[in-house]
Amino acid sequence: MKKMKRLASAFLSFAVALTACGLTASAEETPTAITDLSQITASGSYQLAADIETTTLMQIPEGMSVTLDLNGHTISGGKVYVLENYGTLVVNDSVGTGLLHSSGAGGVRNYGNMTVNGGAITIDKGKYQGSGIFNKPDATLVINDITINTDYYALYNDGTCTINGGEFHSTSSNRAGSGNWAYCVNNRNHMVINNAVVTGIQGGVASSNGYIEIHNGTFSTDPDDSTSFYAVYIAGEYGDVEAHIYGGTFSSPRYAGYIGNDNTGGDGGINAPAIATIYGGTFNGVQGSVYPCKNTGSLAIQGGTFNSDITAYLAASCYTQNADTGAVSAAHTFGDWTETNLKSAATCTEKGTEKHVCSVCKAEEIRDTDALGHDWDAGKVTTPATEEAEGVRTYSCSRCDATKTEAIAKLVIDKDVVSEEGAPEVSLGGDQNLSDAVLTEEEKQQASEGVDVSIRLEVKDAAETVPEEVKK
């Protein structure tokens, strides 16, 4: 036993040593301090130790993974763009005043995978044909926090983009001349905006192709500028486009939301269909809250608040607009709750889902259902108790394969016993096994094979069974 204890102690020490090594190995990598972008030569974590001026384009090649902490410093320069990423790039700013300042057309072109967690990008005044960040086709961009200021596009997306936070500001307008105006945030592929602040003059956020979702944020164009256009613009200039707006605040001196573009031979592009569904949000426009173009725009409103009459665009007769507040509400005729195919039905340990459907407009509501919990049976003895060891009773769930066990107390024999008449007469001491004393070898074998063997005990008064010499 002592040897076993020493072995367990040694194993514990070894496990602790392994754990300590694991903690050391998994600790965050210490970044390499750099004073020039050319010092980024391999995958790793880097941190600016000083402001950097550059006249060349810094490229992160395919296969390289770089984390760059601006650390409150400024990267400035660039003939066209300052950075190009073909690999994996994460941009942080641990101090909060980090800046990428481009004297060219734009800041960053992303061809790979890029995540931005802080910092700012500014583009010199009068620079057009570029973007604060240009997300290229097949590239993935996630923005958690950033501030971008530019005279042209703050963000141009041709790939897949998710915006979770940040500010995007553009002063572009048609005063800059033909071809030199831009919406602040422009999508031409797939974009999800969970939260953002977007301001512009020519426009706030636009999707001219592909798919866009907006969940929250503030989107506006300058109310005091006569060249301002729409806070949100959904038009199939380059292909079919679909928009789903769940929330946010949209304001403009024109229409807050404009769906489609019927102009031919001009800014309407190829005049592809534009479909928008609004589930929530606040829309305030001087000309009107929202407007779908006759030929290319399709609008269905299921919720939100609007400063103009939008009853013509309500998704179905279930929806109504309050004439005083402009809020849209629904009075659905829902059927019974039924299971959905989104998940399997609820199990003992997992939630399920169910839905009910409006019989008028087919709108659906989906909710989770509680896990059922286990349905235990009465249990059966899987290990009988003995004088030396506890037994085990096992319970099984009727709905799944789960089992649980509980202990059965040891048998306690502390009195002398004798067998009934006709059986061999025996007596037991407190340390003797009852079955060994009472059962024959054949009966023991039968019991081990599952035969139900019972022992009847009769406890007699010691005065009748204990000899006088023992009593003395």
Side-chain angles (χ1 to χ4, degrees):
M1 181 63 72
K2 289 183 180 179
K3 288 183 180 180
M4 183 178 295
K5 286 182 179 179
R6 284 197 295 270
L7 179 60
S9 177
F11 177 78
L12 180 60
S13 299
F14 181 63
V16 170
L18 284 178
T19 303
C21 292
L23 288 173
T24 302
S26 62
E28 188 174 339
E29 181 182 359
T30 301
T32 300
I34 61 172
T35 56
D36 192 274
L37 295 180
S38 64
Q39 294 173 281
I40 301 176
T41 57
S43 294
S45 180
Y46 298 85
Q47 184 180 71
L48 297 191
D51 294 345
I52 293 176
E53 290 190 16
T54 180
T55 58
T56 59
L57 177 65
M58 173 62 195
Q59 291 184 328
I60 308 297
E62 185 177 357
M64 184 181 287
S65 179
V66 171
T67 298
L68 178 61
D69 179 8
L70 298 177
N71 193 30
H73 291 290
T74 298
I75 301 174
S76 59
K79 293 182 178 179
V80 182
Y81 280 78
V82 179
L83 288 173
E84 275 188 348
N85 173 55
Y86 293 86
T88 299
L89 175 62
V90 177
V91 178
N92 300 322
D93 181 24
S94 58
V95 174
T97 56
L99 174 65
L100 190 153
H101 173 212
S102 175
S103 54
V108 181
R109 280 192 292 227
N110 179 46
Y111 294 84
N113 298 303
M114 181 176 177
T115 302
V116 183
N117 297 318
I121 297 175
T122 62
I123 312 298
D124 280 349
K125 292 287 185 182
K127 298 294 183 178
Y128 305 110
Q129 309 308 314
S131 177
I133 299 178
F134 195 158
N135 196 44
K136 291 290 190 172
D138 300 322
T140 300
L141 173 65
V142 176
I143 298 176
N144 295 315
D145 186 27
I146 198 171
T147 299
I148 301 179
N149 290 282
T150 177
D151 267 0
Y152 204 51
Y153 295 109
L155 171 62
Y156 196 102
N157 177 55
D158 262 341
T160 300
C161 178
T162 302
I163 303 174
N164 297 316
E167 296 188 15
F168 306 82
H169 306 288
S170 172
T171 56
S172 174
S173 74
N174 58 24
R175 281 191 295 268
S178 178
N180 291 334
W181 58 76
Y183 269 70
C184 181
V185 173
N186 189 56
N187 173 58
R188 285 179 55 179
N189 194 344
H190 189 281
M191 177 177 283
V192 175
I193 301 176
N194 292 313
N195 197 16
V197 175
V198 179
T199 66
I201 297 175
Q202 182 67 24
V205 59
S207 187
S208 53
N209 184 49
Y211 178 88
I212 188 169
E213 277 183 23
I214 301 175
H215 292 268
N216 199 8
T218 302
F219 308 84
S220 63
T221 53
D222 192 339
D224 299 320
D225 195 310
S226 62
T227 64
S228 286
F229 278 86
Y230 318 113
V232 58
Y233 171 66
I234 310 297
E237 296 180 6
Y238 297 93
D240 292 4
V241 59
E242 180 180 348
H244 294 266
I245 300 175
Y246 296 90
T249 300
F250 305 83
S251 58
S252 168
R254 299 204 185 200
Y255 288 102
Y258 198 87
I259 315 301
N261 190 330
D262 289 348
N263 293 340
T264 57
D267 62 3
I270 66 172
N271 302 116
I275 300 172
T277 304
I278 299 175
Y279 307 91
T282 300
F283 296 80
N284 292 301
V286 174
Q287 290 181 329
S289 54
V290 288
Y291 178 79
C293 292
K294 179 180 178 180
N295 299 321
T296 59
S298 175
L299 176 61
I301 297 175
Q302 298 184 24
T305 301
F306 305 83
N307 74 326
S308 63
D309 182 2
I310 48 80
T311 54
Y313 315 127
L314 294 174
S317 59
C318 298
Y319 300 96
T320 58
Q321 183 184 26
N322 186 296
D324 296 325
T325 65
V328 172
S329 59
H332 293 297
T333 306
F334 284 115
D336 295 334
W337 289 97
T338 58
E339 290 181 1
T340 74
N341 59 2
L342 299 177
K343 295 181 183 178
S344 58
T347 66
C348 295
T349 57
E350 298 290 334
K351 291 182 178 181
T353 59
E354 61 183 7
K355 69 177 180 180
H356 58 188
V357 180
C358 176
S359 61
V360 177
C361 69
K362 306 306 178 185
E364 297 180 355
E365 286 185 347
I366 298 173
R367 68 182 183 184
D368 287 337
T369 57
D370 292 336
L372 301 176
H374 293 297
D375 182 23
W376 301 114
D377 62 12
K380 62 180 180 180
V381 176
T382 51
T383 302
T386 67
E387 297 92 331
E388 290 80 20
E390 292 181 333
V392 177
R393 183 182 299 276
T394 301
Y395 299 86
S396 299
C397 177
S398 64
R399 282 191 289 262
C400 70
D401 295 330
T403 60
K404 70 174 183 177
T405 60
E406 69 177 17
I408 301 172
K410 294 179 182 179
L411 297 179
V412 178
I413 306 296
D414 57 4
K415 293 184 178 181
D416 289 341
V417 298
V418 296
S419 63
E420 65 180 329
E421 185 176 354
E425 189 168 293
V426 298
S427 63
L428 294 178
D431 295 329
Q432 190 175 5
N433 188 299
L434 175 65
S435 58
D436 287 342
V438 175
L439 299 180
T440 66
E441 292 301 320
E442 181 181 359
E443 289 169 338
K444 292 178 187 177
Q445 179 64 30
Q446 290 174 340
S448 68
E449 293 173 352
V451 175
D452 188 11
V453 177
S454 61
I455 301 173
R456 180 180 176 185
L457 303 179
E458 180 183 0
V459 180
K460 294 186 176 181
D461 191 323
E464 300 176 11
T465 60
V466 178
E468 290 296 322
E469 59 270 19
V470 175
K471 295 180 183 179
K472 295 178 181 179

